[in-house]
Amino acid sequence: MPSGPEFVADPYGFYAELRRSRPVHFVRFRNGLYAWLITRYADARLVLSDPRFSKDPGHAPSDWREAGRGKPLEDRSGLGAHLLTFDPPEHTRLRGVVAGFFQRRRLAAKLGGVIEETVEMLLARMATADEVDLIERFAAPMQATVICEMLGIPAAHRADFGRWCDDVVISRGTGGEARVAAMGKLVEYITGIVEEKAAAPGDDVISALADPDGELTRDEVVPMIFLLLVAGYETTINLVGNGMLALMRNPGQLSLLRGRPDLLETAIEELLRYDSVTEFSTWRFTLEPVRIADTVIPAGQPVLVALAAANRDPDAFADPDRLDLQRADNAHLSFGHGVHYCVGAALARLEGRIAIGGLIRAFPEMALAVRPEELEWKSSLTVRGPVRLPVRLRSR
């Protein structure tokens, strides 16, 4: 599996070749983990929804379970079993506890104003600058504010959370030390705030989950909050970063969106498809031999869906390498598919519409301040996006 900076920046040519010649491809990663990689759209939808593919790492082979840091997968997070390592019916129970918080109407009513106020504040702060890093000055602080407001984390701690979340999901060549340290700090903090909210609840998600009379046990609460925080933080940062980069590299489409703000909803879907915020699905494991295309994957094997590859499959999307903000019937897989479809997808979409809409309105001359090939991309099996996004806010 390629891993150099050129591949991380633009993996789409490699994925196109895999779709043509090896749609089910065995890959091995530098940390010793391996997987059967799925690259075609139809096959991806099958794997993401078929009960023959389990989320429980207990079904993985022993050598895979001991790879990487020498610990079983379910222990590497420091969290034990959680929402992403369960199948129905246990997964259904856990998801049902939090799904109500992420209903579209509830989000709009409770967080719509917070998102709009946060975006306007950040736009005003940037207005006097000529050049900014759009991730550092806009996307990251916006998302830290929104996700922490929703969960009930005090404003004073939000900068720490942003740094810890980055270290959890992004490899920085430190051998995993930063990730392990960040995991520990997050778990320690969340454990403490759960105790505080259980004793003195507020009107927030952590208070609801920490309720001693609630549906979750104490051992389930901390992993749930951890996942909501980390997954929610990175996903929306990448939606804003990837989306604005794609628009700036496609000025005709950017001009169209500026003139047609009514296209924002379909534009967000196309930006999600064009450069997926999550490059790969989370792990799955075959419960029995499964034939996909011309390949039989044996039982007990790890499987990854290349969401970014499936989203560029020409059998599913006409002219898939072209950004088309008016694309209809855009059933991309950036948030997954089936029972494990991202529970926070509606929140990410809401934030994306408000954030990107605000940026293109406030800065009509915004342009990339470096050559695209100079951008550094996050090195992660999970998320896809630029580490920094330097932009000029007005023409020279």
Side-chain angles (χ1 to χ4, degrees):
M1 182 77 177
S3 58
E6 295 83 5
F7 170 76
V8 175
D10 185 6
Y12 294 107
F14 175 76
Y15 290 146
E17 177 56 32
L18 286 187
R19 283 195 308 266
R20 286 191 295 267
S21 62
R22 291 167 289 168
V24 181
H25 181 53
F26 185 83
V27 296
R28 189 175 294 274
F29 301 99
R30 287 182 297 175
N31 62 1
L33 295 176
Y34 58 87
W36 295 86
L37 190 65
I38 309 301
T39 55
R40 290 180 180 172
Y41 181 86
D43 298 334
R45 282 176 61 95
L46 171 69
V47 171
L48 293 172
S49 59
D50 194 310
R52 292 176 295 176
F53 295 88
S54 171
K55 297 288 292 174
D56 182 356
H59 295 293
S62 58
D63 64 328
W64 188 93
R65 288 164 57 85
E66 297 298 329
R69 293 183 55 81
K71 295 181 179 180
L73 176 66
E74 59 268 35
D75 293 334
R76 287 185 204 137
S77 68
L79 299 175
H82 50 74
L83 185 62
L84 296 184
T85 59
F86 280 121
D87 299 319
E90 194 65 7
H91 170 268
T92 306
R93 179 183 69 85
L94 291 173
R95 184 184 176 96
V97 173
V98 297
F101 298 117
F102 292 93
Q103 292 176 350
R104 183 169 179 169
R105 289 184 179 178
R106 181 171 181 171
L107 289 170
K110 187 172 181 60
L111 288 177
V114 172
I115 299 168
E116 290 172 354
E117 291 173 9
T118 302
V119 165
E120 291 304 317
M121 175 192 67
L122 293 170
L123 293 175
R125 288 180 180 177
M126 293 193 299
T128 58
D130 293 324
E131 183 175 316
V132 299
D133 173 4
L134 207 58
I135 303 299
E136 179 185 29
R137 293 287 299 276
F138 183 80
M142 178 200 72
Q143 184 57 3
T145 298
V146 173
I147 197 70
C148 290
E149 180 75 20
M150 179 180 187
L151 292 177
I153 293 169
H157 302 148
R158 290 170 188 175
D160 288 335
F161 269 94
R163 186 175 66 256
W164 295 337
C165 288
D166 281 344
D167 285 340
V168 166
V169 300
I170 302 168
S171 170
R172 302 185 190 278
T174 60
E177 293 89 348
R179 182 177 188 273
V180 172
M183 283 277 194
K185 291 174 182 176
L186 273 170
V187 171
E188 180 181 4
Y189 180 83
I190 292 170
T191 301
I193 201 169
V194 164
E195 297 293 338
E196 294 176 11
K197 298 282 188 178
D203 182 22
D204 55 67
V205 172
I206 294 179
S207 294
L209 297 180
D211 182 352
D213 297 322
E215 299 180 61
L216 296 182
T217 68
R218 187 50 50 90
D219 289 341
E220 293 170 335
V221 170
V222 172
M224 179 70 79
I225 295 169
F226 180 94
L227 290 172
L228 294 177
L229 178 66
V230 174
Y233 181 78
E234 288 293 339
T235 300
T236 304
I237 289 176
N238 292 334
L239 171 53
V240 174
N242 294 1
M244 289 306 301
L245 177 60
L247 289 170
M248 288 184 288
R249 297 188 69 181
N250 292 269
Q253 291 294 293
L254 178 54
S255 177
L256 171 66
L257 187 56
R258 284 201 176 104
R260 293 276 311 277
D262 59 294
L263 289 176
L264 260 174
E265 189 160 343
T266 57
I268 293 299
E269 299 308 309
E270 175 66 351
L271 293 171
L272 284 163
R273 181 203 68 83
Y274 184 76
D275 207 358
S276 178
V277 296
T278 47
E279 189 157 354
F280 299 100
S281 68
T282 48
W283 296 98
R284 283 162 172 78
F285 309 92
T286 48
L287 295 178
E288 61 185 71
V290 181
R291 177 179 290 278
I292 299 180
D294 294 328
T295 301
V296 175
I297 303 176
Q301 287 290 293
V303 177
L304 280 177
V305 173
L307 302 172
N311 283 342
R312 296 281 189 105
D313 188 341
D315 288 339
F317 304 98
D319 199 3
D321 294 322
R322 179 173 63 89
L323 183 69
D324 178 6
L325 300 186
Q326 300 183 84
R327 189 182 296 272
D329 302 321
N330 196 344
H332 61 78
L333 299 178
S334 293
F335 290 125
H337 178 64
V339 298
H340 289 280
Y341 185 82
C342 177
V343 71
L347 177 58
R349 287 178 164 116
L350 176 63
E351 291 182 83
R353 290 194 298 271
I354 296 173
I356 291 177
L359 283 167
I360 64 174
R361 169 181 48 80
F363 302 111
E365 298 178 325
M366 182 187 292
L368 195 60
V370 297
R371 293 177 300 168
E373 57 268 25
E374 296 179 69
L375 293 171
E376 177 189 0
W377 288 75
K378 297 172 183 176
S379 179
S380 169
L381 258 184
T382 309
V383 300
R384 172 167 175 75
V387 176
R388 289 172 290 278
L389 189 58
V391 298
R392 293 191 303 272
L393 298 181
R394 49 191 55 84
S395 61
R396 292 175 177 174

